[in-house]
Amino acid sequence: MARGLAACAAIVGASAALIGQALDPSLLLAPTKDSWPSYHGDYSGRRHSALTQITPENVRQLGLQWVFQTGRPDQLKASPIVVNGVIYISAPDHLWALDARSGRQIWHYTHPENQAFHIGHRGVAVYGDLVYLTTPDAYLIALGAKDGKVRWKVTIADWKKGYWSTMAPLLIRNHLLVGVSGDFDNLPGLLQSFDPTNGELQWTFYTTKDGPHFGGQMWMTGTYDPELNLTYWGTGNPTPVLNGPARPGPNLYTNSIVALNPETGKLVWHFQATPHDTHDWDANEVPVLVDGTFRGQPAKMLMHASRGGYFFVLDRATGRNLLTRPFGPVNWAKGIDEKGQPIPDPAKEPSRDGVLMAPNEAGLTNYRSPSVDTREGLFIVSAQDSYGIYFFKPEHGDYGWAGADYNIWGKGLLKAIDYQTGDIKWTKDLHGGAAGAGVLTTTTGVLFTGDSAGNAIALRTRDGATLWNSGIGRVGTAPVTYELDGRQYLLIGGGSSLFAFALPR
């Protein structure tokens, strides 16, 4: 239900007329200021807005405009999509269309109840007059953007084998790219491309297939470079998860960044962030694309802060490593190889007596989307310095999790990384363990995220100084921003509700 704090009947009527409009596909290449048309806002994954109304000087005046309460127990973890004056926000088995000016519900789709794994949902994709939703029982569903009615529905994978899907699809021309999750079982990792008009399968890319290692699931939305015509994805951990002896070698293509041709799904290059992972440190974190210079030379860069604790800068045309640096405490690598990949220390594999690890199983970062501000030269990520202890003994077996782990200590910190050197320029205490929010930077030098204490916060990008906060509950989304009727809105989820903030008129 929606609680409009400044509802205006005339505006609502005008916005209703927009509902039937279809998304112009060019929006995905060059988003307009009144939209946030895809998971990352654009293909780069930078999560950086060019809007200028909210500044470091006036951000303290932000006020609540409306709240949409889903009425569901699930925490909102999805990135809202904004197209044609309509917001699309999802939770497991649910999708809502809202008026972007008032938060008024336009329609609500409910997927049939199912017994698949429900852990959260990342969002949807929009194209033409369709909205695409993945479901816990691994369906891809196309709904009418105007009315929320099902147009077609196809199976991504068999949920009864242990797959589920949470991700927001990525649309590249006539290819709708969708991945799945599932590391409780020994399952091949895969990414699939579907025809966005009818759901016909176009290709499947497997990260693993024939064993002895499995896994490498692709559950976070990738990025895309139209010039190179390459799409970039992070892949998940291998299975069995904690039993390293059962799967010797690097376990390709798990815990990797993979560059694929979107027309065919063929692998062009790969870089492994955590070879032979035995600690559940998947590399699904967003591969962020940045154009500029690296140490004085023009570069098309790919930046990645991995769950295993290393920050990488790569040449995204070739996959060549430019920089590898830890961005917090790590103790599992005995060096860096000639490719720039960490070399795992066998002494740090899970053992019968337990082994102390940094970071813990939740990682030095995770699904929380980072943001890049090129003017400041900063890659900003929600991190967690942490320690955990891992166990494995042969009786744990060679299937699924195959071991045990326990968190010992963790502290949530927002970290600003100088991407030329890997140095930490500043950190911000998030007042608890790992936070759940992603990061949004803007061209005026303000960044938005959520802390671990239930606050939406605004900081000065340059130095991390606190400028504004509002208690809205546990923040599980990455904030987004858009401008309608000359007014810039900030959208951010707290608990199971979506909050819209703006400056006074």
Side-chain angles (χ1 to χ4, degrees), residues 353-393:
D353 294 332
V355 59
L356 179 66
M357 298 302 303
N360 66 6
E361 185 270 337
L364 200 46
T365 187
N366 209 306
Y367 54 84
R368 304 179 289 278
S369 293
S371 182
V372 172
D373 187 326
T374 55
R375 292 201 315 177
E376 300 293 343
L378 295 177
F379 180 103
I380 300 167
V381 61
S382 178
Q384 180 200 213
D385 289 358
S386 60
Y387 292 86
I389 189 164
Y390 284 73
F391 296 89
F392 170 72
K393 44 194 175 184

Side-chain angles (χ1 to χ4, degrees), residues 22-33:
L23 169 72
D24 180 348
S26 66
L27 260 185
L28 298 174
L29 284 171
T32 55
K33 63 182 182 181

Side-chain angles (χ1 to χ4, degrees), residues 39 43 123-125 127 132-134 140 152 156 165-180 190-196 200-205 218-225 229-233 258-266:
Y39 181 80
Y43 279 133
V124 300
Y127 186 74
Y132 304 98
L133 174 72
T134 60
L140 172 63
W152 53 257
I156 310 168
S165 189
T166 62
M167 69 168 289
L170 177 66
L171 191 110
I172 301 174
R173 294 185 296 279
N174 63 329
H175 304 287
L176 188 65
L177 276 54
V178 183
V180 288
L190 55 88
L191 181 75
Q192 294 178 302
S193 175
F194 296 89
D195 186 325
E200 182 179 335
L201 180 64
Q202 296 169 325
W203 52 255
T204 301
F205 169 75
M218 302 166 79
W219 50 267
M220 279 290 291
T221 308
T223 51
Y224 173 62
D225 182 333
N229 194 29
L230 292 177
T231 183
Y232 306 92
W233 294 75
V258 294
L260 307 177
N261 182 325
E263 309 296 339
T264 63
K266 299 296 184 186

Side-chain angles (χ1 to χ4, degrees), residues 62 94 96 130 177-178 222 257 265 317 329 337 367 383 404 445-446 451 472 501:
L62 278 180
H94 293 270
W96 294 267
L130 297 177
L177 276 54
V178 183
I257 302 299
D337 69 14
Y367 54 84
V446 182
D451 67 14
I472 61 172
F501 294 91

Side-chain angles (χ1 to χ4, degrees), residues 74-400:
D74 319 82
Q75 183 190 13
L76 280 180
K77 298 180 179 179
S79 184
I81 302 297
V82 185
V83 173
N84 294 329
V86 179
I87 296 167
Y88 301 94
I89 184 74
S90 61
D93 294 325
H94 293 270
L95 172 60
W96 294 267
L98 313 177
D99 186 306
R101 294 174 173 85
S102 66
R104 179 181 63 88
Q105 178 176 306
I106 298 168
W107 54 257
H108 174 200
Y109 169 76
T110 303
H111 185 61
E113 288 188 14
N114 57 82
Q115 300 302 310
F117 189 57
H118 289 59
I119 190 173
H121 200 264
R122 302 292 169 208
V124 300
V126 179
Y127 186 74
D129 58 358
L130 297 177
V131 185
Y132 304 98
L133 174 72
T134 60
T135 66
D137 52 354
Y139 284 101
L140 172 63
I141 303 174
L143 304 157
K146 181 178 179 180
D147 55 16
K149 303 295 185 188
V150 175
R151 299 295 193 268
W152 53 257
K153 172 179 167 183
V154 297
T155 300
I156 310 168
D158 186 349
W159 72 270
K160 292 180 181 176
K161 292 182 177 176
Y163 287 107
W164 67 91
S165 189
T166 62
M167 69 168 289
L170 177 66
L171 191 110
I172 301 174
R173 294 185 296 279
N174 63 329
H175 304 287
L176 188 65
L177 276 54
V178 183
V180 288
S181 306
D183 61 1
F184 300 142
D185 300 276
N186 291 356
L187 299 170
L190 55 88
L191 181 75
Q192 294 178 302
S193 175
F194 296 89
D195 186 325
T197 63
N198 57 22
E200 182 179 335
L201 180 64
Q202 296 169 325
W203 52 255
T204 301
F205 169 75
Y206 287 98
T207 55
T208 63
K209 196 168 183 182
D210 300 320
H213 68 282
F214 295 93
Q217 305 299 343
M218 302 166 79
W219 50 267
M220 279 290 291
T221 308
T223 51
Y224 173 62
D225 182 333
E227 247 183 56
L228 297 173
N229 194 29
L230 292 177
T231 183
Y232 306 92
W233 294 75
T235 72
N237 55 280
T239 58
V241 182
L242 306 190
N243 181 354
R247 45 177 176 79
N251 304 150
L252 294 174
Y253 296 102
T254 65
N255 292 72
S256 299
I257 302 299
V258 294
L260 307 177
N261 182 325
E263 309 296 339
T264 63
K266 299 296 184 186
L267 179 70
V268 177
W269 59 256
H270 78 278
F271 177 89
Q272 198 166 28
T274 311
H276 189 71
D277 172 41
T278 52
H279 305 93
D280 191 31
W281 293 329
D282 43 28
N284 291 89
E285 296 71 40
V286 179
V288 183
L289 312 185
V290 179
D291 291 334
T293 60
F294 184 78
R295 298 179 180 173
Q297 298 299 314
K300 290 175 75 68
M301 295 170 278
L302 182 152
M303 301 178 189
H304 178 77
S306 200
R307 186 166 167 175
Y310 283 87
F311 172 69
F312 304 99
V313 181
L314 308 177
D315 175 337
R316 69 176 184 266
T318 64
R320 181 174 65 90
N321 176 265
L322 302 175
L323 176 71
T324 297
R325 284 283 301 275
F327 60 100
V330 296
N331 69 353
W332 58 271
K334 58 183 184 180
I336 305 297
D337 69 14
E338 69 281 0
K339 299 176 184 173
Q341 299 175 161
I343 304 168
D345 182 349
K348 291 298 183 181
E349 291 212 10
S351 66
R352 177 177 290 278
D353 294 332
V355 59
L356 179 66
M357 298 302 303
N360 66 6
E361 185 270 337
L364 200 46
T365 187
N366 209 306
Y367 54 84
R368 304 179 289 278
S369 293
S371 182
V372 172
D373 187 326
T374 55
R375 292 201 315 177
E376 300 293 343
L378 295 177
F379 180 103
I380 300 167
V381 61
S382 178
Q384 180 200 213
D385 289 358
S386 60
Y387 292 86
I389 189 164
Y390 284 73
F391 296 89
F392 170 72
K393 44 194 175 184
E395 52 266 42
H396 284 150
D398 57 4
Y399 190 82

Side-chain angles (χ1 to χ4, degrees), residues 42-64:
D42 62 20
Y43 279 133
S44 75
R46 282 182 56 204
R47 283 193 174 270
H48 182 81
S49 170
L51 297 184
T52 58
Q53 200 170 94
I54 301 172
T55 69
E57 291 70 34
N58 65 21
V59 65
R60 69 175 66 88
Q61 299 175 41
L62 278 180
L64 184 63

